[in-house]
Amino acid sequence: EAKKNGRGRYQVFAGDMDDLLLRKRKVEAELRKALTGGGGIKLAYQPVFATDGRRILGAEALIRWSHEVHGALPAAQFIAIAEERGLIGELGKWALSEACRFAVGTELPWIAVNISPMQLRDAGFAEQIASILKETGLDPARLQLETTESVLLEHNETIGAVITALRQSGVRIVLDDFGTGYSSLSYLRRQAIDKLKIDRSFIRLLDEDRSAAAIVKALIELALALKVEVTAEGVETDEQKTLLVGMGCNQLQGYLLSPPLEPGQLLALPGLPSAVPERSAARA
Ligand code: C2E
Ligand code: MG
Ligand code: MG
Ligand code: MG
């Protein structure tokens, strides 16, 4: 195959190596600029629904960066670069402030913000959250922080203390992408988290793969038994929704129900707490 493509292929590969480093440096510089007032960074909000598929329980903030030349870049990609280049603290702080400022004036019961493991390793993180909550006026009970399993397995004292302080202040801790890492069953046992989000990779296989279905069912039962909330992420089909509801999962998120939305689009949805009464009152 290498021969078939000849010299061209090799050069493309060599070029890619240089390119990658150059691209990362460029992305870093541009991200820095965007963060210091250059614009182009914003948050999209994906609602989480009750089993009726209509009532909105809360929303997850997902960062979006529209690059002036390359257009929309995948979040996972530029977040990885931000982590690598020491920018994640600033990026994360921006996302937290922006999400809290948005949520405070809305009827959203809660807002969830994704947190990088690097943010949780910072001993000052709980204080940073406290000051953002104070500045924006958001009730701590309305803030959920989503983090992945890996970070909880570090047996890092700082992380443990930060999570304890956050939970004591009323902020909720959510285990994102649950099932993809080494399951943090000890965290569940110690009731150190408030919610599990079952990873999309399991939900995707739900209607075609018996083992995936058995795992999802077991995870939901585990969460319910421990009185930890449970959300299914990446729900794309009616079949998946029906199966999940049958298994007792009462929080659903995914393209079937709604993609991530602009703030205005989210607030225009009919399922927010005040939306229904307000409308019937207006009609009466
Ligand atoms: P995540 O937190 O697990 O978010 C779910 C991802 O799945 C989002 O991708 C969302 O747009 C996408 N998604 C939602 N519903 C569906 C569905 O039904 N089908 C499919 N195929 N995809 C669905 P996105 O926005 O590209 O974000 C990717 C990841 O980047 C997030 O995964 C999260 O880990 C990270 N991320 C996003 N925003 C932030 C942030 O502000 N800070 C940090 N540290 N990480 C963030
Ligand atoms: Mg998430
Ligand atoms: Mg997730
Ligand atoms: Mg994910």
Side-chain angles (χ1 to χ4, degrees):
E1 202 194 331
K3 222 174 193 173
K4 210 167 40 185
N5 290 299
R7 216 179 49 194
R9 187 186 176 96
Y10 179 73
Q11 278 175 351
V12 167
F13 179 69
D16 270 355
M17 299 299 280
D18 283 343
D19 260 21
L20 189 64
L21 197 72
L22 274 175
R23 270 207 314 267
K24 276 188 186 169
R25 291 225 181 102
K26 218 164 156 254
V27 168
E28 180 197 348
E30 289 163 341
L31 198 52
R32 218 177 268 284
K33 206 174 84 188
L35 272 174
T36 51
I41 297 192
K42 55 185 186 172
L43 294 178
Y45 297 94
Q46 187 177 30
V48 173
F49 291 86
T51 46
D52 62 3
R54 194 166 176 278
R55 191 161 60 90
I56 294 173
L57 301 172
E60 176 180 10
L62 294 159
I63 202 156
R64 294 289 176 262
W65 183 24
S66 168
H67 187 278
E68 35 186 38
V69 181
H70 304 298
L73 298 172
Q77 248 172 54
F78 68 80
I79 282 162
I81 295 177
E83 285 175 338
E84 212 179 293
R85 317 295 300 185
L87 272 177
I88 194 66
E90 258 184 89
L91 189 66
K93 196 172 164 195
W94 177 84
L96 278 159
S97 306
E98 180 73 12
C100 293
R101 208 174 11 250
F102 166 69
V104 74
T106 72
E107 298 294 333
L108 280 173
W110 49 259
I111 187 83
V113 182
N114 290 284
I115 299 297
S116 157
M118 293 179 90
Q119 291 172 274
L120 278 179
R121 286 190 205 108
D122 173 358
F125 185 64
E127 273 167 49
Q128 183 189 113
I129 295 281
S131 74
I132 288 172
L133 289 169
K134 206 172 152 204
E135 276 164 31
T136 58
L138 187 74
D139 179 350
R142 291 178 69 200
L143 179 63
Q144 301 190 355
L145 302 179
E146 296 194 3
T147 190
T148 48
E149 290 169 85
S150 60
V151 72
L152 303 182
L153 290 167
E154 285 179 24
H155 301 294
N156 174 319
E157 271 179 41
T158 306
I159 293 174
V162 164
I163 287 180
T164 303
L166 286 168
R167 295 187 74 234
Q168 275 170 358
S169 78
V171 172
R172 311 268 157 85
I173 303 293
V174 179
L175 213 43
D176 204 354
D177 303 335
F178 192 73
T180 54
Y182 305 89
S183 297
S184 316
L185 295 179
S186 68
Y187 259 81
L188 282 177
R189 186 181 53 76
R190 282 182 278 146
Q191 318 243 296
I193 59 143
D194 304 284
K195 187 197 283 193
L196 294 182
K197 285 185 87 168
I198 303 177
D199 192 63
R200 184 169 79 228
S201 58
F202 293 102
I203 309 302
R204 190 163 50 83
L205 297 173
L206 206 54
D207 35 12
E208 51 192 68
D209 180 323
R210 271 164 193 257
S211 0
I215 291 171
V216 170
K217 187 160 181 277
L219 292 181
I220 292 168
E221 278 165 8
L222 182 65
L224 295 175
L226 294 172
K227 298 195 170 29
V228 167
E229 289 182 44
V230 60
T231 305
E233 67 171 24
V235 182
E236 292 185 350
T237 69
D238 270 315
E239 289 77 13
Q240 292 164 356
K241 178 175 171 250
T242 305
L243 285 168
L244 286 162
V245 171
M247 289 172 181
C249 184
N250 46 26
Q251 300 193 16
L252 308 168
Q253 187 182 29
Y255 293 164
L256 175 71
L257 302 139
S258 170
L261 301 169
E262 303 262 343
Q265 294 176 306
L266 176 77
L267 298 181
L269 291 177
L272 283 169
S274 78
V276 177
E278 242 170 44
R279 234 164 254 174
S280 43
R283 228 180 271 134

